[in-house]
Amino acid sequence: MPLLRAFVRTARMIRHTPRLADGLTPDDEVLLDVPDDRLGPALVAAGRGEYGPAAKLLATTREAAEWENRDRYATRLAAFARSRPEWFDDWLSATPHDPDALLLKAELAVVRGWESPARAELLREVSPLLTAAADADPRDPVPWRIALDHARGTHASHTEFEELWAQAVRRSSYHYGCHASALMYLSADWYGSHTECFHFAERAAADALPGSLIQALPVRAAFAYLTSAAGNLPRERLDKAADLAIALSGEYAAADPWPAEVRNLLMYVLIRLERWHDALDQLRLIGPYATSFPWDRLSDDPLGQFLELRDGVRIEVAARTPLRPRQGDADGRGADGR
């Protein structure tokens, strides 16, 4: 019987795997962390040593209170400045009190501090930079997201964390970046527990606005649980988190870069839950937009890891698809669609 099962599985894979590539972006067209149409020109200019477009972009997000975009752009620009700092050094020299330059300076200092073996000590030394960034525009929640990351690295107490969290939500009740950073602090790998992490995520998702990426917090909690060394949460709670993220993903168009990270994260969770058909659905929605997170947690080659697992999903779906699907079946799905 094991030999027969292996034969049937192989026959299904041979028959169905090629067909399951329909709707998937070809491998050579999948890109990692593609910038959007606003960030792209700023990065190109920074590569030429020009800081003007980056300064204008961040100023626009601040003036229009586009806090989610501001956070994303600041993170990407700071990452670029780590390896190509000349343009940013020129910006700081020209306008050392610019709120946008101060925000980038704080983000860059915290990222560099995290990379050091003397992490906690170095991060404590950069605390004045966070204060300067927060004081530069009291409306801006992004410095408080950076402060929450900073708190995790400096072993801040729960009391200190709660104070920072209160400052963050006072400025933006639904800021995804602040929520994601707080969730990490509360995870079992840091200063909380799986139960505390899920409770925070589920409560925030229930209070979130329609279409808000905060609804993906439970799937982030599921990721933290699935990549942790210990824990014993019921499978139903993980499936519920995945189902909520699937519903959120469905509110956005296919190949939309905005929810790309959420879709990549959801794909990982679905793979771990062996919900192969749902994972294939998300792959078709992801399109060409692979993201470093979560794949850089698994491999030094996140794009290669994404493509390898994408092939694995197709193989698993093919292996579960009958050689002659019954009428009405979709890719061999069972009654639960999985």
Side-chain angles (χ1 to χ4, degrees):
M1 289 299 292
L3 183 60
L4 177 59
R5 284 196 294 269
F7 175 79
V8 172
R9 178 181 172 88
T10 301
R12 289 174 172 179
M13 290 164 51
I14 293 172
R15 180 180 180 87
H16 298 301
T17 299
R19 174 177 60 83
L20 294 174
D22 293 346
L24 297 180
T25 303
D27 285 5
D28 59 359
E29 295 180 19
V30 177
L31 303 172
L32 190 68
D33 299 328
V34 179
D36 66 19
D37 292 341
R38 298 170 70 188
L39 178 61
L43 289 172
V44 170
R48 297 195 300 263
E50 303 168 9
Y51 66 82
K56 182 177 180 180
L57 176 62
L58 287 183
T60 298
T61 62
R62 175 169 47 85
E63 292 161 3
E66 297 178 26
W67 305 129
E68 300 289 2
N69 280 327
R70 181 172 177 79
D71 198 355
R72 290 191 179 200
Y73 297 156
T75 300
R76 293 292 302 275
L77 288 166
F80 189 77
R82 285 167 60 193
S83 57
R84 301 283 296 276
E86 299 83 4
W87 63 277
F88 182 56
D89 292 340
D90 290 346
W91 184 3
L92 279 175
S93 297
T95 56
H97 303 295
D98 182 342
D100 308 307
L102 289 174
L103 178 69
L104 226 58
K105 185 177 182 181
E107 170 72 10
L108 185 57
V110 169
V111 170
R112 285 173 171 163
W114 268 97
E115 296 173 344
S116 171
R119 175 193 299 163
E121 180 181 350
L122 285 179
L123 286 175
R124 291 189 186 101
E125 292 176 359
V126 305
S127 293
L129 299 182
L130 276 69
T131 301
D135 290 345
D137 189 335
R139 304 172 305 145
D140 188 357
V142 182
W144 298 97
R145 190 272 300 161
I146 301 172
L148 288 166
D149 289 341
H150 179 266
R152 186 161 41 89
T154 56
H155 312 300
S157 67
H158 270 66
T159 299
E160 293 171 306
F161 163 80
E162 291 290 350
E163 291 172 353
L164 294 173
W165 175 244
Q167 293 288 346
V169 296
R170 186 176 302 159
R171 286 156 177 80
S172 179
S173 300
Y174 302 106
H175 186 262
Y176 176 69
C178 288
H179 279 78
S181 183
L183 184 75
M184 194 172 298
Y185 178 95
L186 295 171
S187 70
D189 284 343
W190 291 96
Y191 308 111
S193 66
H194 294 310
T195 299
E196 189 174 10
C197 183
F198 260 91
H199 178 69
F200 173 84
E202 290 165 349
R203 183 174 57 186
D207 293 339
L209 298 172
S212 169
L213 296 185
I214 290 176
Q215 293 179 35
L217 285 180
V219 91
R220 289 189 77 105
F223 172 80
Y225 172 76
L226 291 168
T227 55
S228 179
N232 188 29
L233 290 175
R235 165 68 187 244
E236 292 77 11
R237 200 167 192 180
L238 303 177
D239 279 321
K240 182 179 179 181
D243 290 340
L244 182 61
I246 288 172
L248 173 65
S249 176
E251 296 185 36
Y252 291 89
D256 184 340
W258 179 256
E261 184 179 276
V262 165
R263 284 171 169 164
N264 278 253
L265 179 63
L266 173 57
M267 175 188 156
Y268 173 89
V269 171
L270 291 169
I271 289 172
R272 289 292 305 274
L273 296 177
E274 298 185 357
R275 293 175 56 171
W276 304 110
H277 289 90
D278 289 332
L280 183 61
D281 289 342
Q282 291 306 310
L283 281 168
R284 289 176 174 139
L285 292 173
I286 288 169
Y289 295 112
T291 57
S292 290
F293 178 75
W295 314 115
D296 58 2
R297 303 303 193 269
L298 310 176
S299 170
D300 293 333
D301 178 14
L303 180 57
Q305 181 71 72
F306 171 84
L307 293 173
E308 180 181 337
L309 289 174
R310 192 172 76 152
D311 287 341
V313 168
R314 289 171 54 213
I315 290 170
E316 291 295 338
V317 171
R320 287 162 170 76
T321 302
L323 288 172
R324 295 180 179 176
R326 292 168 297 181
Q327 187 174 4
D329 281 356
D331 290 338
R333 295 176 191 257
D336 62 355
R338 298 177 188 172

